[in-house]
Amino acid sequence: MQTPTISPTSPTYLAAELRLPTNWLDYTLLGIYFVVVLGIGFAARRSVKTTLDFFLSGRSLPAWVTGLAFISANLAATEILGMAANSAQYGAYTVHWYWIGAIPAMVFLGLVMMPFYYGSKVRSVPEFLLLRFDKWAHLLSSILFAFAAILIAGVNLYALAIVVEALLGWPQWVAIVVAGFFVLAYITLGGLSSAIYNEVLQFFVILAALIPITVLALKKVGGWDGLTDKLTQAHGDNFVTAWGGTGIGETNPLGANWLTIVLGLGFVLSFGYWTTNFAEVQRALSAKNLSAAQRTPLIAAFPKIFIVFLVMIPGLAAAALVPGFGTEKSGYQYNDAIPYLMEGLLPNGVLGIAVTGLLAAFMAGMAANVSSFNTVFTTDIWAKYVVKDREDSYYVRFGRLITAIGVMASIGTAFLASSFSNIMSYLQTLFSFFNVPMFVVFIVGMFWKRASMKSGFWGLLAGTTAAMVNYFVLYKQDIISIPTDQGANFVSAIAGFVAGAVVMVAVSLFTAPKPADELQGLVYGTRSPGMAEPPAAGDDAWYRRPALLGWGAIVLAAACYIPFSFSL
C-alpha cells in the first residue's frame, strides 16, 4: 500500500487559489536581492585566476563563512518545502531527519573524514576514490554523482516554478529561466567563491522568511498547545511525538519502525548524504586550513539542530488548519504547506521578504549542486579521461561552459519531480540510489586496509543496483509491502548498503589489495603530510576545538529529543 498522491496538474489551480497580494514594495525587495546576488558574482570574479580558485575558492575561506555556506547549501527550497510537507504528512517524526538523520553524520564528517579529504588535497569526493581504489571506481562515482547533481538541481527548479506560479502568477518557464539565469550568471562569474558568499547571504534571507511564517502560524492555531490539541484530535497521539508507535510491528504515520529509522535514516541515508555529497563537502574543502575544514560541518550543525522548528511547525500548522491537508479532498498537496501559510498570514513587505527567502533557498540549493557538478565533470571526467594535460586557463574556461550546460540540463530534469506530491520523498529516493552506495565504498575502504582496488567499482555498482531494484521492483510492484514512500526509501538504503558491503568483501577476498605504501592518509590509522598540519594562530583556542564542537552538537541534539519522546 503506497501513500496517495495528487496529480501534478494542480499548479494552474493553485495559481488562482494561492495567489499572493504582492505590490511594488514586495517586488522592490525582490529586485534589490537579485542586484546584490549579481554584485557578489562580479566582486568574486576578480579572485578567479586558476582552477583551484574557480572550483575550491583557492582553499582560502574562514570557517564561519564555509560553515554558514555548508548549512545554506543544505537549506534549499527542497528542504524548506519538503520538510514542511513531511511534517504535514507525517507529523513530528520530521525531527528524526535533523537530530538523528543529520547531526551525528555531520559530526563524523568533521571529526573523522575531513582530515582524510583535506589532508589528501583532493578537489572532489570521487577523486578520493581514485586514490583509494582505481580509475574504474573513480569514473563510475564521477558519472553517478554528476547525474545525481543535475537531478537534484532540477528538483529545485521544478519546486521554484510551481511555487512562483502559484504565488506570483509567473508562468513556469519564466520562473525557471529567471532563476536559472541568475544562478548561471553568478557561478560563471565568480565560481565557488561567488556561490559560497551568496549562500551566506541567502542563509540570513531564508531565516528572515521562515521566522515570521512560523510565529504567525503558531499564533493562528492557538500556540503550541492549541496546535498539538488539534493534531492529536485529527491524527492521534503519535502524530506529535518522535517515537510513538515506532515499535516493531506497530503502526504510525511514517510507516517505519525504530530500527529502520535508526539504521535506514540515522545511519545509512544520513551518513551517505553528509559524508559523500560533494555539494556539501566542497564547502569544507574550500576552507583555508585543516582546522577550518573540520569546523565547517560542526559550525553548521548548531543551526541545523534548531532549523527543524522553522520547517516543521508550518507543516504541522497547515495540517491543523485544513482537514485532510495533502489529500485530494483538501485541494492541496503536502508541498503547499508553506505557500498556503504565506498567502493567508503575511502582510506586504513581510510577504516580499518571504518570497525573496524562498527564491534564495531555491537558488542556494541549485547553485550548490551546479557548482559541485561543474567541479566533478571538469576535474574528474573531462580533465582525466577526455582532454588531458591542458593549461590551467583552459579548464577554467571549460568549467564556465559546463556550468551553462549543467543549468540547461537541470531545466530538462526539473519535471521528473512532478510525480511526487512530497518532493522530500523524491530527494530521499535519489539519496538512497546515489549517496548510500558511495558511502559504503568510502566507509569500507577507509576502515579496512584489505579492501582491494577492484572492490570499489563492484561495491558501488552492486549498492546502486540493489537500492534501485528494491524501490522500483520490490516496492513499486507490491512484491513487498511497505506503508509509505519514506519507509521504502529507508529499506532501499539499507539494501544498497548491505549489498555494496557484501560485494566489496567478496571481491576483496579474490583480488589484490592496494600496496600499503599507497594507502597513507587514505585509511584510518595512517597519516599523510597534509593531516599533520598544525592549527593556525587562534585555532587552538578551547572554544574552537573540533571535538568540543562535535560532542556539544550531539549532546544538544539528544536533549532536544526529550520533550518529543512522550505523548503530549
Side-chain angles (χ1 to χ4, degrees):
M1 176 181 168
Q2 297 178 17
T3 304
T5 59
I6 297 175
S7 169
T9 57
S10 58
T12 302
Y13 169 74
L14 289 176
E17 223 18 57
L18 290 179
R19 185 69 49 79
L20 295 180
T22 48
N23 62 16
W24 64 270
L25 177 59
D26 303 309
Y27 281 102
T28 299
L29 292 171
L30 194 57
I32 291 172
Y33 169 73
F34 281 125
V35 170
V36 172
V37 163
L38 288 182
I40 291 174
F42 278 106
R45 181 181 176 86
R46 294 196 299 269
S47 65
V48 177
K49 296 180 176 63
T50 67
T51 53
L52 190 64
D53 295 332
F54 188 78
F55 296 119
L56 284 179
S57 301
R59 296 188 190 270
S60 62
L61 301 180
W64 74 268
V65 170
T66 55
L68 289 180
F70 188 98
I71 190 63
S72 183
N74 170 253
L75 191 61
T78 47
E79 171 89 0
I80 294 170
L81 296 183
M83 284 304 177
N86 240 28
S87 304
Q89 185 172 2
Y90 303 124
Y93 294 101
T94 297
V95 299
H96 293 309
W97 271 264
Y98 291 78
W99 301 336
I100 198 173
I103 302 306
M106 295 169 76
V107 171
F108 183 82
L109 172 63
L111 297 184
V112 178
M113 295 191 72
M114 279 317 302
F116 292 95
Y117 280 141
Y118 200 89
S120 62
K121 300 301 181 186
V122 295
R123 296 191 182 193
S124 70
V125 168
E127 189 177 355
F128 186 88
L129 292 184
L130 175 63
L131 298 179
R132 175 59 184 88
F133 295 103
D134 60 13
K135 68 176 184 179
W136 297 110
H138 171 253
L139 181 59
L140 179 59
S141 65
S142 299
I143 292 171
L144 289 175
F145 179 82
F147 186 60
I150 292 301
L151 286 173
I152 296 170
V155 176
N156 277 280
L157 270 182
Y158 171 75
L160 179 144
I162 297 303
V163 171
V164 170
E165 183 184 35
L167 300 184
L168 302 180
W170 298 3
Q172 285 187 28
W173 70 270
V174 172
I176 288 175
V177 169
V178 168
F181 167 78
F182 277 95
V183 170
L184 174 61
Y186 71 73
I187 294 180
T188 303
L189 286 169
L192 184 63
S193 292
S194 178
I196 284 178
Y197 281 113
N198 266 304
E199 284 160 2
V200 173
L201 167 68
Q202 288 159 345
F203 174 76
F204 294 104
V205 174
I206 292 166
L207 289 186
L210 290 178
I211 290 171
I213 294 173
T214 303
V215 171
L216 293 174
L218 265 181
K219 182 179 180 182
K220 179 77 172 178
V221 296
W224 181 253
D225 289 339
L227 176 63
T228 54
D229 288 345
K230 289 181 174 66
L231 292 174
T232 299
Q233 292 174 9
H235 300 279
D237 291 337
N238 291 340
F239 202 76
V240 291
T241 67
W243 297 106
T246 60
I248 295 175
E250 295 185 64
T251 59
N252 61 71
L254 186 58
N257 58 51
W258 68 267
L259 186 62
T260 54
I261 291 172
V262 172
L263 292 182
L265 174 62
F267 177 60
V268 180
L269 272 172
S270 171
F271 279 68
Y273 174 81
W274 290 104
T275 64
T276 66
N277 183 8
F278 187 49
E280 300 292 339
V281 174
Q282 187 180 29
R283 273 79 194 138
L285 289 178
S286 67
K288 63 182 180 181
N289 55 40
L290 176 57
S291 174
Q294 283 193 274
R295 283 183 282 126
T296 294
L298 305 179
I299 290 171
F302 287 91
K304 183 70 175 178
I305 291 171
F306 298 105
I307 282 170
V308 62
F309 297 111
L310 300 182
V311 293
M312 180 178 72
I313 290 174
L316 295 177
L321 292 170
V322 180
F325 190 91
T327 61
E328 198 159 359
K329 65 179 181 181
S330 73
Y332 297 104
Q333 296 189 44
Y334 294 113
N335 294 327
D336 299 330
I338 293 283
Y340 165 75
L341 295 174
M342 287 172 62
E343 187 269 341
L345 299 178
L346 300 184
N348 290 107
V350 178
L351 199 58
I353 294 173
V355 172
T356 303
L358 270 184
L359 291 181
F362 285 118
M363 292 168 65
M366 183 182 176
N369 284 283
V370 170
S371 62
S372 59
F373 164 78
N374 67 22
T375 302
V376 168
F377 197 94
T378 303
T379 63
D380 291 290
I381 298 176
W382 195 260
K384 281 191 170 64
Y385 301 105
V386 184
V387 179
K388 304 177 183 178
D389 303 321
R390 287 289 301 272
E391 67 277 10
D392 203 58
S393 59
Y394 166 81
Y395 295 112
V396 174
R397 292 195 303 272
F398 182 82
R400 289 190 166 113
L401 172 64
I402 202 64
T403 300
I405 294 173
V407 170
M408 296 302 105
S410 299
I411 293 173
T413 64
F415 294 96
L416 291 178
S418 64
S419 61
F420 285 77
S421 176
N422 182 339
I423 54 177
M424 189 49 63
S425 293
Y426 177 56
L427 279 179
Q428 295 290 319
T429 302
L430 295 180
F431 296 153
S432 69
F433 293 168
F434 299 111
N435 292 91
V436 168
M438 199 172 297
F439 170 63
V440 70
V441 172
F442 265 86
I443 208 71
V444 172
M446 189 173 286
F447 287 95
W448 189 35
K449 292 182 180 180
R450 181 63 181 80
S452 70
M453 292 186 291
K454 300 297 182 185
S455 68
F457 171 82
W458 291 108
L460 186 56
L461 184 63
T464 303
T465 302
M468 290 183 174
V469 167
N470 180 81
Y471 190 84
F472 289 118
V473 178
L474 299 182
Y475 169 59
K476 286 296 186 181
Q477 303 304 317
D478 290 325
I479 296 175
I480 60 175
S481 178
I482 304 175
T484 65
D485 286 343
Q486 289 289 21
N489 290 332
F490 297 164
V491 175
S492 296
I494 294 171
F497 184 89
V498 171
V502 168
V503 169
M504 286 190 73
V505 171
V507 171
S508 294
L509 295 178
F510 294 97
T511 55
K514 204 174 184 77
D517 60 336
E518 297 180 20
L519 294 177
Q520 295 304 306
L522 302 175
V523 177
Y524 195 76
T526 66
R527 297 186 70 82
S528 68
M531 296 171 69
E533 176 184 321
D539 283 351
D540 55 353
W542 68 269
Y543 57 87
R544 290 186 177 180
R545 291 175 184 171
L548 176 65
L549 292 172
W551 287 107
I554 287 179
V555 170
L556 186 57
C560 286
Y561 260 120
I562 295 174
F564 288 91
S565 297
F566 310 97
S567 297
L568 301 176

